[in-house]
Amino acid sequence: MKQTIVGYHKDEEGDWVAELECRHFQHVRNKPPFINRPWVETESGRASMLGELLNCVKCDKAEPKDH
């Protein structure tokens, strides 16, 4: 299910995590060549993706909300 990105935070390992409108969290890593998300590397890049949609597999599985 597609959900809107509403914010970000870093996890305990320093990786960026998108906070979704559904209240689930999803890592947004830039690990070329398999995952290409260069926008996550800069504040302006992350800001440009606020309001964009990501597929939330946790919603698809009806998992509880993240904290």
Side-chain angles (χ1 to χ4, degrees), residues 2-65:
K2 299 281 185 178
Q3 295 289 345
T4 304
I5 300 172
V6 297
Y8 302 96
H9 67 269
K10 282 191 173 184
D11 69 6
E12 47 290 327
E13 295 179 14
D15 291 326
W16 285 103
V17 177
E19 300 166 1
L20 304 178
E21 183 176 33
C22 61
R23 296 180 40 216
H24 285 128
F25 300 158
Q26 181 175 320
H27 279 95
V28 283
R29 296 181 180 102
N30 184 36
K31 302 283 185 183
F34 302 107
I35 302 171
N36 291 303
R37 292 182 176 139
W39 54 266
V40 78
E41 301 293 331
T42 65
E43 185 175 342
S44 63
R46 290 186 300 278
S48 74
M49 293 299 287
L50 289 173
E52 295 294 320
L53 298 174
L54 284 180
N55 187 46
C56 182
V57 294
K58 291 180 180 180
C59 278
D60 292 339
K61 296 176 182 178
E63 291 186 15
K65 307 304 179 201

